[in-house]
Amino acid sequence: MKQRLDPLLPVVGVVGLIVAWYGAVWYGIVDPVLLPSPGATFHALWSGMSGGALGLDFVKTVWRTAVSTAIAAVIAIPLGIFLGSSERLYRSVEFVIDFFRSTPASAMFPLFLVLFGVGDKTKISVAAFGAALVILFNVAYGVMNARKVRLLAAKVMGASRLRVLLDVMLLESLPQTFVGLRNGVSLALVIIVVAEMFIGSRDGLGHRVFEAQQLFDMPEMYAAIFAAGALGYGLNLLFILVERRFVHWSGK
Amino acid sequence: MFAGRIAMERLATGSARLASANAAGGTAGSAAALPHVTIRGLTKRFDRVSIYENFDLDLPRGKLISVFGPNGCGKSTLINMIAGLVTYDAGEILFAGKRREQVKLGYVFQNYREALFPWMRAFDNIGYPLKLMKVPKPERRARTERLVAHLDVKIDLNRYPYELSGGQQQLVSIMRALIVEPEILFLDEPFSALDYEMTLFMREQLQRIFIETGMTIVLVSHDLEEAVYLADRILLLSRHPARIADFVVFDSARPRSAATLSSREFVQTKAHCLDVFQREVRG
Ligand SMILES: Nc1ncnc2c1ncn2[C@@H]1O[C@H](COP(=O)(O)OP(=O)(O)OP(=O)(O)O)[C@@H](O)[C@H]1O
Ligand SMILES: [Mg+2]
């Protein structure tokens, strides 16, 4: 009995949060202008997502995040494999990678604005830049940390260097690659949303949050925040499901 | 290719050939008298520590050779150098006139968990060396199935390695080593991560494989009983820089069984090896 209810445990926190929220509104603990009721917020979320402007913004943000992550993956995965296949090679560029990985991507906006102007190109390229470094770092480490015994096993069976790379290192690095992709897509989303707020944008979730705040439309603002949260959570979940399907040996 | 086919036939007709295989081993012709592996002047250093210094060794063909010695004396390093996995600083390793690349080797690692490919089903793990040799898929399947049937393995080979028990995984890696019909099979403490019951079972499997194929087997073992029980020759190494402390002959008839363990020649041989070992460890 106890165990059958276990899958419902995550619901407890959600219900608790909503109850607390209702309570805060009901007893006027927080200024109702700053914190609308859950009902008003979810109404805004529902009507916005089903045919309203919020739905369009959501799609725009998904699109930008997906494109930037895809660009990052296409560049960073092969490069990461290449750099990771030789530890000396990676060591020689490690500082540069770590340096830019540690640089807040938002600090790159002015530079990319000069390069690409105000538009999707800038947003997407900054997000791709940030995500690529995260993915690159993880892929390279995944390749470098390939189990030594497994490489020796392939070698003693007569595998060429290329075969070892393709048949062993590549697959060995997959779990770590997925860690990189998950972190990369999260970072891309953060960068895209920030860019949509402040870099002359006419759509996207960031724009929606910002505009709602300017217009003091609080239910709308909270609705957009929740939509962004759901998006981030959903993307992470998506990668976990894909990983479980294709990297079934991960952690075993 | 031709030699390979003969080996396969021997595998396929298994125990029926057992008696004749033994007889052939007993009346070894001149080819069998030549060592399979000849090591001369082998020198190996890690940093400034000398593991082998001008080391000579002959490994007889068609024998099961156990390697026994103190921890860290260089047992793994020795078979790794022969197998071409580790480079050496000086000396030469010869394979009866062949180059290393011309000799098919099998290698079984102690750590089966890390040696098998977790992304491949057990069946594909076993067939992987054939894939490297560009053997077409149907033939790969057929050969793998034949080997499995012959060894009488009762494992669901459609599973992934991490779904198998330790013993089953090690059996899969032994089959992966055998699938190419190697001339020489190296095993580095293959059973030390298994429980006792599984270890006993695996010893019998290895003995059977040896009897039926007659290939040269080099077994590193840290269990003296196992080393003597399975071996034709026991190579006893000293602390590094490793010398041959003794290269003991143990000629007890095969197949050996529990009775062998209590036979006089076994007890004496084991006692002698222990003696040499203790002298080496103290000295
Ligand atoms: N890659 C390496 N770098 C430096 N030293 C090494 C390396 N590999 C082995 N050694 C050293 O060489 C010696 C021999 O190692 P080896 O693994 O061959 O010993 P072993 O006889 O197999 O030991 P064990 O019984 O523990 O398996 C050890 O002292 C070890 O510390
Ligand atoms: Mg060892």
Side-chain angles (χ1 to χ4, degrees):
Chain A
M1 185 60 206
K2 229 177 167 180
Q3 280 179 356
R4 258 198 291 147
L5 290 178
D6 277 359
L8 294 176
L9 283 178
V11 176
V12 175
V14 177
V15 171
L17 181 68
I18 292 175
V19 168
W21 184 0
Y22 257 119
V25 173
W26 187 262
Y27 293 106
I29 296 169
V30 185
D31 188 342
V33 177
L34 296 181
L35 185 68
S37 74
T41 302
F42 286 117
H43 181 259
L45 182 61
W46 179 255
S47 62
M49 289 301 284
S50 54
L54 184 58
L56 290 177
D57 289 322
F58 187 86
V59 171
K60 270 285 179 189
T61 301
V62 169
W63 169 249
R64 289 180 184 128
T65 307
V67 171
S68 46
T69 308
I71 293 173
V74 166
I75 295 172
I77 292 178
L79 194 59
I81 292 168
F82 174 68
L83 294 177
S85 64
S86 154
E87 183 144 359
R88 296 192 44 178
L89 187 60
Y90 187 76
R91 295 287 167 235
S92 63
V93 293
E94 184 173 31
F95 177 76
V96 177
I97 292 172
D98 281 350
F99 183 83
F100 283 105
R101 214 160 52 85
S102 318
T103 308
S106 45
M108 306 299 284
F109 277 131
L111 172 63
F112 279 75
L113 276 170
V114 173
L115 292 175
F116 297 114
V118 274
D120 269 3
K121 263 195 198 160
T122 296
K123 299 184 190 70
I124 289 173
S125 49
V126 176
F129 175 81
L133 287 165
V134 173
I135 297 170
L136 178 67
F137 161 82
N138 277 285
V139 172
Y141 264 87
V143 172
M144 279 191 291
N145 292 340
R147 300 290 161 83
K148 193 147 173 278
V149 175
R150 222 161 260 154
L151 302 178
L152 289 179
K155 191 178 168 199
V156 81
M157 289 186 273
S160 63
R161 273 188 66 127
L162 183 66
R163 282 253 72 92
V164 171
L165 181 67
L166 296 178
D167 289 355
V168 186
M169 284 186 174
L170 199 59
L171 286 139
E172 277 275 286
S173 68
L174 271 187
Q176 191 69 32
T177 299
F178 268 90
V179 172
L181 284 172
R182 280 213 313 275
N183 292 338
V185 79
S186 301
L187 181 62
L189 179 63
V190 169
I191 296 171
I192 292 290
V193 168
V194 170
E196 287 168 346
M197 284 182 184
F198 302 116
I199 301 189
S201 208
R202 257 160 278 117
D203 46 26
L205 287 175
H207 167 75
R208 174 76 26 211
V209 173
F210 193 65
E211 196 184 62
Q213 184 243 14
Q214 297 289 301
L215 300 173
F216 240 75
D217 185 349
M218 285 300 149
E220 178 80 11
M221 189 185 90
Y222 281 92
I225 291 173
F226 282 133
L231 177 55
Y233 189 85
L235 286 172
N236 203 36
L237 192 65
L238 177 72
F239 276 97
I240 288 178
L241 291 178
V242 172
E243 177 177 1
R244 250 187 232 157
R245 174 77 182 72
F246 290 102
V247 196
H248 52 84
W249 66 91
S250 184
K252 283 177 179 148
Chain B
M1 200 58 238
F2 183 63
R5 211 166 284 146
I6 290 179
M8 201 65 221
E9 253 169 45
R10 268 206 234 159
L11 263 178
T13 46
S15 40
R17 287 270 184 118
L18 200 150
S20 65
N22 266 359
T27 57
S30 57
L34 286 174
H36 202 164
V37 181
T38 310
I39 298 171
R40 288 292 174 268
L42 187 69
T43 298
K44 174 70 184 173
R45 297 185 194 95
F46 282 120
D47 303 320
R48 241 156 278 135
V49 186
S50 189
I51 308 297
Y52 287 95
E53 198 67 56
N54 215 350
F55 183 83
D56 296 342
L57 174 69
D58 287 338
L59 296 180
R61 183 183 290 271
K63 300 287 179 198
L64 199 160
I65 301 130
S66 291
V67 183
F68 190 81
N71 271 89
C73 74
K75 303 180 290 293
S76 302
T77 305
L78 178 64
I79 63 172
N80 286 343
M81 286 188 293
I82 302 174
L85 290 175
V86 166
T87 58
Y88 39 94
D89 300 306
E92 52 186 8
I93 299 176
L94 306 168
F95 297 87
K98 288 195 203 171
R99 278 178 294 119
R100 163 66 187 86
E101 312 85 77
Q102 296 172 303
V103 183
K104 273 191 265 177
L105 299 180
Y107 195 119
V108 177
F109 294 85
Q110 174 185 14
N111 193 340
Y112 45 82
R113 237 174 265 289
E114 291 197 352
L116 291 171
F117 299 144
W119 48 84
M120 284 181 187
R121 295 176 191 281
F123 199 86
D124 298 318
N125 262 289
I126 298 171
Y128 181 72
L130 296 178
K131 192 176 161 198
L132 288 177
M133 293 160 64
K134 303 201 167 59
V135 175
K137 198 164 181 180
E139 195 189 328
R140 255 165 29 214
R141 260 207 106 68
R143 282 173 68 170
T144 308
E145 267 161 12
R146 228 169 347 170
L147 180 66
V148 169
H150 174 70
L151 291 180
D152 200 17
V153 172
K154 293 178 185 67
I155 304 175
D156 180 2
L157 293 173
N158 278 315
R159 288 173 179 271
Y160 289 99
Y162 54 79
E163 298 173 315
L164 302 174
S165 75
Q168 291 172 328
Q169 289 183 49
Q170 194 58 302
L171 211 48
V172 168
S173 48
I174 290 176
M175 287 194 282
R176 182 175 71 176
L178 290 177
I179 193 73
V180 296
E181 296 152 14
E183 278 182 39
I184 313 177
L185 176 65
F186 296 96
L187 305 104
D188 192 353
E189 303 193 16
F191 312 139
S192 57
L194 304 176
D195 64 37
Y196 193 61
E197 191 189 343
M198 197 66 209
T199 301
L200 292 183
F201 173 73
M202 297 293 284
R203 282 179 195 168
E204 291 321 311
Q205 292 277 335
L206 182 64
Q207 172 169 235
R208 209 172 72 133
I209 291 164
F210 174 65
I211 291 171
E212 288 169 7
T213 61
M215 66 185 146
T216 307
I217 296 185
V218 183
L219 168 75
V220 174
S221 177
H222 65 274
D223 179 334
L224 187 55
E225 181 174 280
E226 172 176 289
V228 176
Y229 173 74
L230 287 172
D232 300 309
R233 303 273 187 282
I234 304 111
L235 176 65
L236 297 167
L237 292 177
S238 70
R239 285 192 179 290
H240 62 68
R243 285 173 299 99
I244 299 177
D246 202 349
F247 203 2
V248 181
V249 176
F250 183 55
D251 265 342
S252 173
R254 294 181 190 275
R256 296 172 187 167
S257 63
T260 311
L261 295 175
S262 48
S263 73
R264 228 188 57 191
E265 51 180 339
F266 176 82
V267 174
Q268 278 178 349
T269 309
K270 191 180 158 196
H272 171 72
C273 291
L274 191 58
D275 233 32
V276 174
F277 176 75
Q278 280 175 334
R279 204 163 51 226
E280 285 306 327
V281 172
R282 277 196 216 106

